[in-house]
Amino acid sequence: MNIRTFLLDRLAYLLLYAINLFVILLVIQLSLFHSHQPLSSSIVFYIILLSCTGLFFVLVFDYIRQRPFYHKCDQLYTGEPSFEDMYIQGACTWEQWIFERLLERQHAHYKQELFRYRKQQEQHRHFVQRWVHQMKTPVSVIDLLLQQANNGSRDNDPYRWLTSLQEENEKLAHGLDMMLYNARLDLFEKDFVPRKTSIVHMLRSLIHEYKKLFIRTSIFPKLEADQEEVIVETDEKWIRFVFQQLLTNSIKYSSRADKRSKIVRVVLFQNDQGWHVRISDEGVGIPPQDVSRVFDAFFTGENGRVFAESTGMGLYLSKQICDRLGHGLAVTSEHGKGTEVTVSFYERAHLYHDANMTKL
């Protein structure tokens, strides 16, 4: 800001000052007119000179005082400062101080949003890399099976060959679903449709959907409910994905347990807080030091080093979805004996909470 723009910003005050000076001179002239004493031009000139001189020094002092602040604003406006240089200092008036604080607050908010976005992008990149790595395994197995089929090595056992293909196809479908829901999570509010949902019907449908997987892994599913019809308000598609993750985890880790007959129990019960769905298995369980971190993105813990197919994203996505739906999700486990995961549908919950929420 130069002296010209400085004066233009104060043009209204200068005009008001000139009008006030004219009024003062007019009042003096009228007062002397009644006394039949003329107001000489030299006195008028002297009054104007003294008044304007004082005004001049005040304006010069004010301009020099505010010049550093204006100079910094000009640098930011005309130049190309870096993100860290977007600060203004040197405020000498209350208005400038307020402006400085607001800019600092906006800068801090923008920096926080930028950090969150970068973290989200890094997390997404990491997830894509891990997901691609996971998907390469069933693709390689399917390719190997097809090669063996072409060579005639599996002609005598077509059922086993088709079963292996089905297993790998299920892994691909599960991985694709996880990638799809991870991508949709950023636009959750645009894909959110709350409605009354029958949880018992949904769980029975999912158990039937995984019937072949239960049979193949020698696991017996058991559904128990206090009522035949349990209706809760939720988003059916999102909560179905959560239960898919929880059931597949129960099956996956139960199938590795050293037990001949294993049971996955799905229990619906009600208390004063609302309805709850508890899915418990008799699998390998979670080590005590890992329980508190199971909802962290990409955390696989000790079990992840044993089961190579673990991605560390299933429970993370489930927790993110439940938080946004206003539902509870809790995990308890005893290493070597099994795991219990409880989804809570609170009666007074407000559906859809922005998880950044904390805004993957």
Side-chain angles (χ1 to χ4, degrees), residues 99-111:
F99 177 74
E100 189 177 302
R101 299 286 84 76
L102 289 175
L103 189 62
E104 288 180 359
R105 183 179 298 180
Q106 185 179 18
H107 183 273
H109 177 72
Y110 177 75
K111 191 174 183 179

Side-chain angles (χ1 to χ4, degrees), residues 207-251:
I207 291 174
H208 180 75
E209 180 180 328
Y210 293 128
K211 179 177 64 176
K212 293 182 180 179
L213 184 58
F214 277 116
I215 295 173
R216 194 162 59 240
T217 54
S218 300
I219 298 174
F220 178 72
K222 190 174 182 180
L223 177 62
E224 302 173 2
D226 291 346
Q227 299 179 9
E228 283 297 320
E229 189 71 17
V230 177
I231 303 297
V232 298
E233 188 172 3
T234 184
D235 185 293
E236 184 174 355
K237 183 178 67 175
W238 285 104
I239 200 63
R240 184 182 181 88
F241 173 78
V242 171
F243 286 129
Q244 285 176 335
Q245 297 302 310
L246 301 182
L247 283 174
T248 53
N249 279 354
S250 296
I251 295 171

Side-chain angles (χ1 to χ4, degrees), residues 248-262:
T248 53
N249 279 354
S250 296
I251 295 171
K252 176 170 62 177
Y253 294 111
S254 293
S255 63
R256 304 300 178 91
D258 296 330
K259 298 177 182 178
R260 291 185 178 180
S261 61
K262 289 152 286 190

Side-chain angles (χ1 to χ4, degrees), residues 249-259 262-264 279-292 294 299-307 310 315 331-341:
N249 279 354
S250 296
I251 295 171
K252 176 170 62 177
Y253 294 111
S254 293
S255 63
R256 304 300 178 91
D258 296 330
K259 298 177 182 178
K262 289 152 286 190
I263 298 176
V264 171
I279 300 176
S280 57
D281 60 56
E282 299 175 349
V284 296
I286 304 172
Q289 68 274 14
D290 293 343
V291 174
S292 61
V294 294
F299 179 77
T300 56
E302 185 178 318
N303 288 336
R305 291 162 177 78
V306 179
F307 308 115
S310 299
L315 285 177
V331 174
T332 58
S333 182
E334 188 174 352
H335 191 40
K337 293 187 178 181
T339 302
E340 286 186 355
V341 184

Side-chain angles (χ1 to χ4, degrees), residues 303-337:
N303 288 336
R305 291 162 177 78
V306 179
F307 308 115
E309 64 271 19
S310 299
T311 62
M313 287 298 291
L315 285 177
Y316 166 77
L317 291 175
S318 299
K319 179 62 174 175
Q320 291 292 312
I321 292 170
C322 285
D323 286 346
R324 301 188 189 202
L325 290 174
H327 305 327
L329 182 62
V331 174
T332 58
S333 182
E334 188 174 352
H335 191 40
K337 293 187 178 181

Side-chain angles (χ1 to χ4, degrees), residues 161-176:
W161 180 72
L162 290 174
T163 301
S164 299
L165 278 178
Q166 186 177 16
E167 290 178 4
E168 302 308 318
N169 183 67
E170 289 173 355
K171 292 179 182 179
L172 283 173
H174 180 72
L176 289 171

Side-chain angles (χ1 to χ4, degrees), residues 10 77 212 272 300 345:
R10 288 152 180 80
Y77 178 73
K212 293 182 180 179
D272 55 351
T300 56
F345 299 91

